[in-house]
Structures are given as structure tokens and as C-alpha cells.
Amino acid sequence: MGLYLNPPENALVLSVDEKSQMQALERTQPMLPLALGYLEGITHDYKRHGTTTLFAALDVLHGTVLAECKPRHRHQEFLAFLRSIDASVPTRLDIHVIIDNYSAHKHPRVEGLVGPPTALAHPFHPDLQFVA
């Protein structure tokens, strides 16, 4: 918790994770507006639009979230999300990414990006070790 609330100087600490297999649903009818004595009305049926994966990076210190939805859940999509984080954060800041042990996070291409050669540095796998 200390790394989140007291990050190193000129650094941004992000907790990164994903939620896969989210169903993209749409109601078949518009919601009925509130009326005096009645709650907002919602239909019980919906139309399916497949599934999506939500990738998110939480900056605990400032309470902001960077997020993207991708159609699949592989290391390629995770790499694209990390690159978009890198592009959106000012170059003066080092990015410390805290990730879990999911197999896409341990792929050699991901570990190559998250290592010292780029601004993304110091990944932390909770059940492994701190990699500097």
C-alpha cells in the first residue's frame, strides 16, 4: 500500500488488471422515465452483442482510471493496452505497473516491454517477487 500512496519521485504507480468475458448487452426497449409514485421502468429482455474484455489501470493516489475494451484476452491485447498507457502518461514520469500472475502478463513480449528499456518499469507479481 505504501508504494501506491507514497510513490517514488517522478513516478506514477498503476494497478493494472482485466475483466474478461464481459457480456455486451443492450435493452430491447428504452427505459421508461420516472413518474410521480413510479420507479424508472426497465424491460427484462435484452439483445446480446457478444463479449468483450475490459483492461484497466488504476492510479490509487489520484483516483483516476485508464481503461480500454478489447475483443479478445491475450498477451497481444495486453501489450496494446500497456503501450496506450505509455503514450498517455507524460514522458517525465516513470511508470510502475503492479500486475498479477495471469499468463498473458508473464509472456516474454510483455516482460520485454515492462522491463528497464522503456518508461514502464518495475512490474510486481504479488505471488512472485519485485523485479527491478
Side-chain angles (χ1 to χ4, degrees):
M1 196 65 176
L3 185 61
Y4 288 119
L5 299 177
N6 189 17
E9 192 172 327
N10 295 324
L12 175 66
V13 179
L14 298 172
S15 177
V16 177
D17 209 355
E18 64 281 320
K19 172 66 178 126
S20 64
Q21 299 295 318
M22 291 178 50
Q23 292 190 27
L25 304 174
E26 176 185 15
R27 297 279 178 193
T28 57
Q29 300 289 321
M31 292 181 14
L32 299 172
L34 289 170
L36 189 60
Y38 293 99
L39 297 175
E40 193 172 49
I42 301 175
T43 61
H44 67 281
D45 55 339
Y46 51 86
K47 191 176 358 174
R48 293 179 186 265
H49 293 285
T51 60
T52 188
T53 297
L54 171 69
F55 291 91
L58 172 64
D59 175 4
V60 174
L61 185 62
H62 299 104
T64 57
V65 176
L66 301 169
E68 289 183 8
C69 286
K70 303 280 186 182
R72 298 186 66 184
H73 188 215
R74 305 171 301 169
H75 78 275
Q76 293 94 327
E77 287 78 19
F78 187 64
L79 274 171
F81 179 61
L82 290 177
R83 288 186 183 112
S84 71
I85 291 172
D86 195 20
S88 66
V89 173
T91 55
R92 63 179 165 73
L93 293 177
D94 289 331
I95 304 169
H96 295 255
V97 177
I98 298 174
I99 53 178
D100 61 13
N101 240 4
Y102 182 65
S103 63
H105 303 164
K106 297 188 295 183
H107 191 277
R109 289 182 61 200
V110 172
E111 290 186 348
L113 175 70
V114 180
T118 67
L120 293 168
H122 309 293
F124 176 70
H125 300 275
D127 48 349
L128 289 178
Q129 74 275 353
F130 189 77
V131 180

